[in-house]
Amino acid sequence: MDVPVKEMNALAVLYGGALHEYAFQPLAGGKNAFICALQRAGAFRGLTKIVLLVRDDFDEKLLPSFVDRIALVRSESWNTKKLLDTIVREGEAFDLIYFAWADCPLLDVELAGALEARHRRYAAEYTYQDGLPGGLAPELLVPATAVFLQKLNAGAENPVERDALFSVLQKDINSFDIETELSSVDLRSHRLNLAADSKRNLLLIERCFALPWAGYQSAQALVLQRPELLRTLPAFFPIMVTNSCPQKCAHCPHGPEGGGGAKNFMPLERFKIIVGKIAAWTDDAVIDLSLWGELAMHPQKIELIKAVLEYESLSLVIETCGVGWSEDDVKALSQLDTSALSWIVSLDTNDPAEYARIHGKGFVEAVNFVHTLQHLVQEPRSEEGGGGIKKTKVYVQALRCKGKEDDIEKFYRYWKEQDVHVIVQKYDYFCTALPDLRAGDISPVLRQPCWHIMRDMPILIDGTVVSCREAIVQTDAAEREAWTLGNIFNETPDSIWTKGAWRYKKQCEGEYGSFCDKCDEYYTYNF
């Protein structure tokens, strides 16, 4: 005799505590991402209630017509403690809790149903989807798991990130019965997030809505059959603000002329024009200083840094050799208070003799600069000003070259003991412009379209925009010209970016050309 299956009494908790304006922009059909997310979540199996977590200033007029099924929980701000406390409190009377973000318009009801069936079949405590882009599936947990997560979090008030639940669960992952619905095609390497939280992601969502969308299988078809649509907006802007450098590095394609020739600098006002255009166009880009040349040599370097940090939507990465920063510079840096600034200091070795062979002079100054940055980061900034670059990340970097593994290991161990983040970077031979000193070939078995042509927009000192920084080292003038997309001072960023779409489309079709065929940087990823 068959035993009837008890109907699940489920709650959906949708996090809307950090909704971007893009979540309320109309998509195809007139609905916005927020409304679509609520409607799709409302169709989850066994659902009897939706709890929407919002900020105090949330306007209830933005809610859809089925508002009677939605309970609002407001807070001035949200963190992991408040999130878990709320899930525990709201979910205690339910058999199952769905958790998703309220800016994901492509939440898949069929996929959620498959997760729910797996969750029940195996009496899981936590169930999630793996292998598909973010924003397609909710996470599932039972109320007892929410209580356990609350205890594991131990009252930590961390920002609510997309992986907030799983990051807490990982602290004691073996204590949970976890089930996973695996995608038949693993798309994680494409780093896609179908959430309306940025202009870039909104554009991708709009392209999805323009396709014949048939659930999560369409995401697989998008990546496998229409990969050119994934090139939305650039995320990384390496900008050359000077050609001057105090060192002549062996691993730089311009090494022999490193400190020679006429010194040129991008004027501050022209740099501000570039940054303003980028901020208005992409709204969440990472600016990198400097593409070739050493930022420390620029007479207005502090003003350049401030020009980027004025935009809350932008992040700044400074790549430096650590040589040329004065005490006045350090004092000015100590006034900065931002989480949007990261430093990468290229050292390559802790051996002064080896350093001299690679970089020339400056070993002691460079190492001391790392410790200076570390001190500024660790010392809290006082109310009177000064005392620390709050939350700034500091990294030391070393190239992994053939025959230098022992040196790299010593380098890594030393700086980890100093509590400094370490980047071990693969060697770049710039499409054979430099000797091939790679410690090993770690490129994928199957060639893929270039991440850099997809996501980077290098800008030279005169405003010239190129498809790829590797192409700058080409000696053939005609070839260099072929890689030039335009000039950001004379054209809009969007029109320049569009000119590079054909090259990425060719790579999606398996055509790379003689220059790219020699490159193994295509699989490396910046931001």
Side-chain angles (χ1 to χ4, degrees):
M1 175 175 152
D2 292 334
V3 178
V5 178
K6 177 179 177 289
E7 184 66 28
M8 185 71 73
N9 179 28
L11 167 73
V13 176
L14 296 188
Y15 181 71
L19 291 173
H20 198 282
E21 61 180 311
Y22 296 127
F24 303 102
Q25 291 191 11
L27 300 167
K31 298 176 183 177
N32 58 44
F34 174 68
I35 296 296
C36 289
L38 288 174
Q39 288 182 331
R40 287 172 179 264
F44 288 166
R45 186 181 298 165
L47 191 76
T48 56
K49 182 181 179 181
I50 297 175
V51 170
L52 177 63
L53 313 185
V54 296
R55 295 173 64 93
D56 284 341
D57 58 359
F58 178 78
D59 186 354
E60 291 190 27
K61 295 178 182 178
L62 298 170
L63 290 170
S65 57
F66 57 94
V67 64
D68 56 306
R69 295 183 61 196
I70 302 174
L72 292 183
V73 177
R74 297 177 181 271
S75 177
E76 181 181 357
S77 62
W78 286 92
N79 54 50
T80 52
K81 181 181 184 302
K82 288 184 180 179
L83 172 66
L84 290 169
D85 289 349
T86 304
I87 293 176
V88 169
R89 183 179 67 249
E90 298 292 334
E92 62 181 357
F94 294 87
D95 303 317
L96 175 68
I97 302 168
Y98 295 97
F99 178 75
W101 283 54
D103 58 1
C104 300
L106 293 169
L107 283 171
D108 193 281
V109 177
E110 179 185 351
L111 182 56
L115 287 166
E116 188 265 353
R118 175 177 289 274
H119 186 85
R120 296 182 69 179
R121 183 183 311 122
Y122 298 106
E125 294 174 305
Y126 174 84
T127 302
Y128 70 106
Q129 196 287 323
D130 198 16
L132 288 174
L136 289 176
E139 298 167 81
L140 282 65
L141 63 159
V142 295
T145 301
V147 174
F148 200 168
L149 293 178
Q150 183 186 45
K151 294 176 179 178
L152 276 179
N153 188 59
E157 299 181 352
N158 299 317
V160 179
E161 306 289 352
R162 297 277 167 179
D163 63 347
L165 297 188
F166 194 76
S167 63
V168 176
L169 181 146
Q170 281 183 307
K171 295 179 179 180
D172 192 10
I173 196 167
N174 293 326
S175 295
F176 297 90
D177 289 325
I178 300 174
E179 283 297 321
T180 307
E181 186 76 15
L182 294 174
S183 171
S184 59
V185 180
D186 190 351
L187 305 180
R188 288 174 298 178
S189 63
H190 295 274
R191 308 182 187 215
L192 302 176
N193 186 28
L194 296 173
D197 58 353
S198 69
K199 190 173 183 179
R200 183 178 304 101
N201 284 339
L202 182 66
L203 179 55
L204 180 59
I205 290 170
E206 289 174 339
R207 291 178 180 180
C208 291
F209 268 73
L211 295 172
W213 192 263
Y216 65 93
Q217 296 93 341
S218 296
Q220 298 172 347
L222 171 67
V223 174
L224 299 178
Q225 300 171 20
R226 300 292 305 278
E228 71 277 3
L229 296 180
L230 305 181
R231 186 181 186 267
T232 52
L233 296 174
F236 186 65
F237 292 79
I239 303 176
M240 181 180 183
V241 294
T242 178
N243 67 340
S244 178
C245 184
Q247 297 183 325
K248 301 181 180 182
C249 300
H251 301 321
C252 174
H254 303 291
E257 296 83 28
K263 296 181 179 180
N264 294 317
F265 305 99
M266 181 183 290
L268 174 62
E269 292 308 313
R270 286 173 71 81
F271 179 74
K272 286 183 175 181
I273 291 172
I274 294 176
V275 174
K277 284 189 173 185
I278 293 171
W281 179 42
T282 68
D283 81 20
D284 70 337
V286 177
I287 308 298
D288 179 81
L289 296 176
S290 169
L291 172 63
W292 317 125
E294 168 56 56
L295 178 61
M297 298 294 99
H298 199 291
Q300 295 176 295
K301 51 186 165 293
I302 303 300
E303 286 72 21
L304 295 177
I305 294 171
K306 290 179 179 179
V308 178
L309 299 181
E310 287 177 1
Y311 294 90
E312 291 185 3
S313 61
L314 299 181
S315 299
L316 175 61
V317 174
I318 297 176
E319 296 189 67
T320 177
C321 65
V323 175
W325 298 90
S326 67
E327 291 186 9
D328 288 341
D329 295 333
V330 172
K331 183 178 180 180
L333 291 171
S334 70
Q335 307 302 312
L336 302 179
D337 184 2
T338 178
S339 59
L341 175 60
S342 298
W343 292 83
I344 301 176
V345 184
S346 295
L347 293 178
D348 292 311
T349 181
N350 284 341
D351 182 348
E354 179 66 8
Y355 183 93
R357 185 190 70 79
I358 299 172
H359 296 285
K361 298 179 180 179
F363 175 74
V364 173
E365 182 178 351
V367 170
N368 286 341
F369 186 66
V370 174
H371 290 303
T372 296
L373 291 176
Q374 186 184 23
H375 173 74
L376 292 174
V377 171
Q378 291 177 341
E379 292 296 325
R381 185 177 184 272
S382 66
E383 293 183 0
E384 293 77 19
I389 312 174
K390 189 177 181 182
K391 296 183 180 179
T392 297
K393 297 182 178 66
V394 178
Y395 302 85
V396 291
Q397 179 173 278
L399 284 177
R400 182 170 176 253
C401 300
K402 185 185 302 182
K404 298 299 178 183
E405 271 77 1
D406 289 345
D407 194 46
I408 288 288
E409 183 179 358
K410 293 176 184 176
F411 179 88
Y412 181 86
R413 289 181 182 277
Y414 173 81
W415 287 108
K416 291 298 287 185
E417 289 173 359
Q418 302 299 311
D419 199 25
V420 176
H421 301 290
V422 179
I423 297 175
V424 178
Q425 188 181 44
K426 68 172 284 296
Y427 178 80
D428 182 5
Y429 57 90
F430 290 91
C431 302
T432 70
L434 293 177
D436 186 354
L437 300 179
R438 291 176 297 172
D441 185 356
I442 58 173
S443 57
V445 175
L446 298 177
R447 180 76 187 239
Q448 65 190 49
C450 179
W451 276 112
H452 302 289
I453 295 176
M454 179 188 184
R455 294 179 62 86
D456 297 0
M457 192 169 178
I459 302 174
L460 305 185
I461 198 168
D462 62 353
T464 297
V465 178
V466 292
S467 288
C468 174
R469 73 165 198 164
E470 304 283 312
I472 302 171
V473 304
Q474 293 188 104
T475 56
D476 185 274
E479 282 293 319
R480 287 200 304 273
E481 182 65 25
W483 284 83
T484 299
L485 299 179
N487 190 290
I488 199 165
F489 293 122
N490 305 326
E491 304 170 63
T492 65
D494 188 56
S495 64
I496 295 173
W497 180 246
T498 301
K499 293 177 187 178
W502 71 270
R503 192 182 297 276
Y504 186 74
K505 189 173 187 299
K506 284 290 186 183
Q507 292 208 355
C508 291
E509 296 168 353
E511 299 180 26
Y512 300 99
S514 58
F515 184 73
C516 291
D517 272 341
K518 298 180 291 186
C519 180
D520 81 332
E521 286 289 303
Y522 64 87
Y523 61 91
T524 62
Y525 185 94
N526 288 316
F527 292 91

